[in-house]
Amino acid sequence: PDVIIEAQFDDNDAECGEDHLKDMLIDDIKKLSLDTGEKVKAVGIGGVHRTKQDDGPTVNDPRLLPDKFLQRTAKVVYILEKKHSRAATGFIKLLADKNSELFKRCAMFSPVDHRVPRVYVSLADCPPDFVTRPEDYSNMLFICRIVDWKEDSNFATGQLAKSLGQAGEIEPETEGILTEYGVDFSDFSPEALECLPQSLPWVISSGELAKRRDLR
C-alpha cells in the first residue's frame, strides 16, 4: 500500500510558503523509506511517486518486525488423546426462550467448572417434575457426560448421569470432584480385600520392624 502522510500546519506554516511544506514532506518520506528496500521519489507537492524493487520487503512485511511484535498462530489438525473425562458437575435449568422448539426437548446444564461448556441435555433425562417445578432443582447437583459438540453450535450436547444431592454438602461435592477427574471410588473387590491381613487387630511383627526405618 502507498504511504500516506498527513501534515498538520498552522498559519505560521502557511506563511512560510509552499517550499517549506515540500521540504517537510520530503524529509518525512525519507524517514519512512529507511530499511524497506524501496526507492522513493518525491514529485512536486501534490503527491508521492514510488518505484519498487522486485521481491523486496514492503512496508507491511512481517519480516521487518522483531519477533516480540509477532503473534504466533497455529491450527489443531488432530487430537491425540482426550484428557478430560467428559463428565462435569453442575446444575440444570429451563431454557430462556419458552417459545422455541428446543425448549420442549432440552434443558440447559451449567457446569460448576467454567472451563467446561454449557450443555444441552434431554428433558427425558431430567426428573419427571422438573418442567413444572424447576425451582426445586435450582440447588441440586447433577453429573452430566458430554457426548458431542458440533462445530456450528455454541453449546455441547450431553446426558445426565445421576443426581448427586444438594450443593454445599460434603458427600455430593466430593463425589462430583472424583467423577470429574475420573477417579474410581467404587468398593474394593473381594479379591483385593483377600490380600489384606485377615486376623485383626493386625500389628507389624518385631522382625519386620527391625528391617524398617521408623518414620512415625
Side-chain angles (χ1 to χ4, degrees):
D2 293 337
V3 177
I4 299 175
I5 298 176
E6 296 182 356
Q8 294 183 349
F9 60 94
D10 53 21
D11 294 338
N12 293 330
D13 293 329
E15 292 175 0
C16 292
E18 189 175 288
D19 292 338
H20 175 67
L21 184 57
K22 175 181 176 181
D23 293 339
M24 289 175 55
L25 288 173
I26 292 175
D27 291 340
D28 290 339
I29 293 169
K30 288 180 179 179
K31 293 177 183 178
L32 288 174
S33 63
L34 292 178
D35 299 328
T36 63
E38 295 176 351
K39 297 177 180 178
V40 180
K41 294 181 180 179
V43 180
I45 196 171
V48 176
H49 175 72
R50 182 186 60 185
T51 60
K52 283 186 174 182
Q53 290 181 347
D54 293 338
D55 300 328
T58 62
V59 174
N60 293 331
D61 196 327
R63 291 176 295 176
L64 299 175
L65 298 174
D67 288 344
K68 65 180 181 178
F69 294 122
L70 299 179
Q71 174 65 54
R72 306 291 182 184
T73 59
K75 180 181 179 181
V76 176
V77 295
Y78 187 76
I79 297 176
L80 288 176
E81 182 182 359
K82 295 181 179 179
K83 301 293 290 184
H84 195 271
S85 64
R86 298 299 188 271
T89 305
F91 305 92
I92 57 174
K93 58 184 179 180
L94 294 175
L95 299 181
D97 188 2
K98 297 182 179 181
N99 297 322
S100 66
E101 189 66 26
L102 201 59
F103 180 86
K104 302 175 184 178
R105 298 185 289 107
C106 297
M108 178 64 70
F109 175 82
S110 297
V112 175
D113 187 350
H114 297 293
R115 297 173 298 178
V116 182
R118 286 182 288 177
V119 185
Y120 286 133
V121 294
S122 173
L123 287 177
D125 295 339
C126 300
D129 59 342
F130 169 67
V131 176
T132 56
R133 302 177 61 87
E135 63 278 359
D136 292 351
Y137 300 93
S138 60
N139 200 39
M140 183 78 68
L141 282 175
F142 289 85
I143 289 287
C144 176
R145 292 194 179 274
I146 298 174
V147 296
D148 192 18
W149 192 359
K150 298 185 182 301
E151 294 181 359
D152 58 350
S153 176
N154 292 328
F155 307 109
T157 56
Q159 294 178 340
L160 286 184
K162 64 180 297 186
S163 172
L164 296 177
Q166 292 293 320
E169 296 182 1
I170 296 297
E171 292 185 3
E173 297 278 2
T174 302
E175 184 177 349
I177 294 173
L178 295 176
T179 303
E180 285 185 16
Y181 285 91
V183 178
D184 184 5
F185 56 93
S186 59
D187 294 337
F188 288 106
S189 64
E191 292 79 10
L193 295 176
E194 289 176 0
C195 297
L196 299 176
Q198 302 301 315
S199 58
L200 300 177
W202 177 79
V203 293
I204 303 175
S205 65
S206 57
E208 187 67 28
L209 278 175
K211 298 186 295 183
R212 300 190 181 195
R213 288 181 58 189
D214 193 346
L215 299 177
R216 291 173 295 183

